[in-house]
Amino acid sequence: MLVFVFPGQGSQSPGFLAPWLELPGVADRLRWASAVVGDDLVAHGTVSDADTLRDTAVAQPLIVAAGLLGLRELVASPAELAGVAGAVAGHSVGELTAAAATGALSPEQALVLVRERGRAMATAAASTPTGMSAVLGGDPDEVAAVLAAHGLTPANANGGGQVVAAGTVEALAALAAAPPAKARVIPLQVAGAFHTEHMRPAVGTLEALAAGLEPGTASVPLAANADGELVSDGREVLRRLVAQVSRPVRWDLCQQAFAALGVTGLIEVPPAGTLTNLAKRSLKGVDVLALKTPDDLERARTMIAEHGGGVHATTTVEVGR
């Protein structure tokens, strides 16, 4: 059982797309994506600095475009994906990439949605200074209690002892000054308290856009951010994509869904690394690969041959309701 995962915001880094643009056709496809989102993704993927890439309106379209470009080097269509993968999932904005990869959305629909998502979330973030910090380790109950005491939201439950706290910059500073016992607090390079009520204004924007879309059926089930449920109906995928902007990401439950399916191989598309590291801690014994550069493609193709087969779940997997 092979699964593909698609990273979220914070995974990008300066120049990460440069080696990919050396492959035939990749630069052309990225220029097309740039035209759709109305920004120069070629520049952002090659020469833009870290401060520029931290901008939500820049980072989110870049991450979705990069993920689709990287996947295209391995599988050319949703139908081909169905022949090799048993399930997919995307973390936060990566769920849009996953939807496009499976055909629940077209690439153009996903790019327009992520363009407006990034803009709306950036606007929402600008109204109040907010941010996010990873909390690594510590007793789970104590971590939850400390976050609640500071008025922070556990916006990402990532598994492997990692929770991402989100809220005002003052509350995050207080958390850093007095972290839970045996826990480390690491500020993240994002520009707002994503997946919290601070993002509620962005949900309305996306709801209005989604009403005019005609999604397709996903060729491969998606393990949804909210609860790890496997979803294939395009309208339900779209509904969840809109709602998750202001709701916590339960990546721990997505990984539990993979385990329940019997996953043996996991490939993370560019900008890869974050989700692979989480899988190493939570999915012991699973063969994992971060597809960081074209040099990793040969290994990825070997993994597809070893683990692929497109055996899809036929019933809903429910985890941790």
Side-chain angles (χ1 to χ4, degrees):
M1 170 71 73
L2 178 68
V3 298
F4 284 87
V5 294
F6 302 83
Q9 194 166 342
S11 57
Q12 73 279 7
S13 60
F16 79 95
L17 269 182
W20 292 96
L21 298 188
E22 298 176 8
L23 299 180
V26 172
D28 293 335
R29 290 192 289 275
L30 190 57
R31 280 191 286 270
W32 171 253
S34 297
V36 175
V37 302
D39 202 356
D40 190 348
L41 300 181
V42 175
H44 292 321
T46 56
V47 298
S48 290
D49 60 19
D51 286 341
T52 300
L53 296 185
R54 190 171 181 269
D55 183 344
T56 301
V58 170
Q60 293 193 12
L62 181 63
I63 289 167
V64 171
L68 293 176
L69 289 172
L71 182 67
R72 174 69 178 271
E73 297 303 311
L74 295 174
V75 293
S77 68
E80 190 172 327
L81 179 68
V84 299
V88 299
H91 193 288
S92 187
V93 72
E95 196 164 48
L96 265 170
T97 325
T102 65
L105 297 175
S106 71
E108 287 76 14
Q109 286 173 330
L111 288 168
V112 170
L113 276 176
V114 76
R115 179 190 71 199
E116 299 306 315
R117 183 186 194 272
R119 290 173 180 174
M121 291 175 72
T123 299
S127 64
T128 303
T130 58
M132 305 176 82
S133 293
V135 182
L136 308 180
D139 177 77
D141 291 337
E142 182 180 352
V143 170
V146 170
L147 296 191
H150 287 301
L152 294 165
T153 299
N156 302 161
N158 286 331
Q162 182 187 114
V163 174
V164 175
T168 65
V169 293
E170 293 84 5
L172 290 171
L175 174 66
K182 299 181 180 179
R184 290 188 296 140
V185 176
I186 302 174
L188 300 182
Q189 294 303 305
V190 296
F194 305 144
H195 304 292
T196 72
E197 285 300 311
H198 291 283
M199 294 294 111
R200 175 61 59 179
V203 173
T205 299
L206 293 178
E207 284 176 338
L209 282 175
L213 289 182
E214 291 293 335
T217 299
S219 65
V220 176
L222 283 83
N225 276 191
D227 49 20
E229 272 197 29
L230 297 175
V231 183
S232 295
D233 178 75
R235 182 57 61 183
E236 178 64 7
V237 170
L238 185 58
R239 184 191 70 78
R240 287 167 174 265
L241 281 168
V242 171
Q244 56 109 296
V245 170
S246 64
R247 297 180 182 177
V249 171
R250 294 300 306 272
W251 191 251
D252 56 339
L253 299 185
C254 292
Q255 293 187 115
Q256 287 181 31
F258 290 158
L261 291 175
V263 61
T264 58
L266 178 148
I267 297 174
E268 180 183 5
V269 304
T274 301
L275 302 182
T276 306
N277 288 335
L278 292 174
K280 288 176 180 177
R281 293 195 290 270
S282 299
L283 296 171
K284 300 293 186 181
V286 173
D287 191 7
V288 300
L289 174 67
L291 192 64
K292 293 184 177 182
T293 75
D295 291 340
D296 299 313
L297 287 170
E298 182 177 355
R299 172 62 182 143
R301 294 183 181 114
T302 299
M303 285 184 63
I304 289 173
E306 293 175 347
H307 301 284
V311 181
H312 304 148
T314 56
T315 58
T316 298
V317 175
E318 296 187 4
V319 286
R321 284 266 188 188

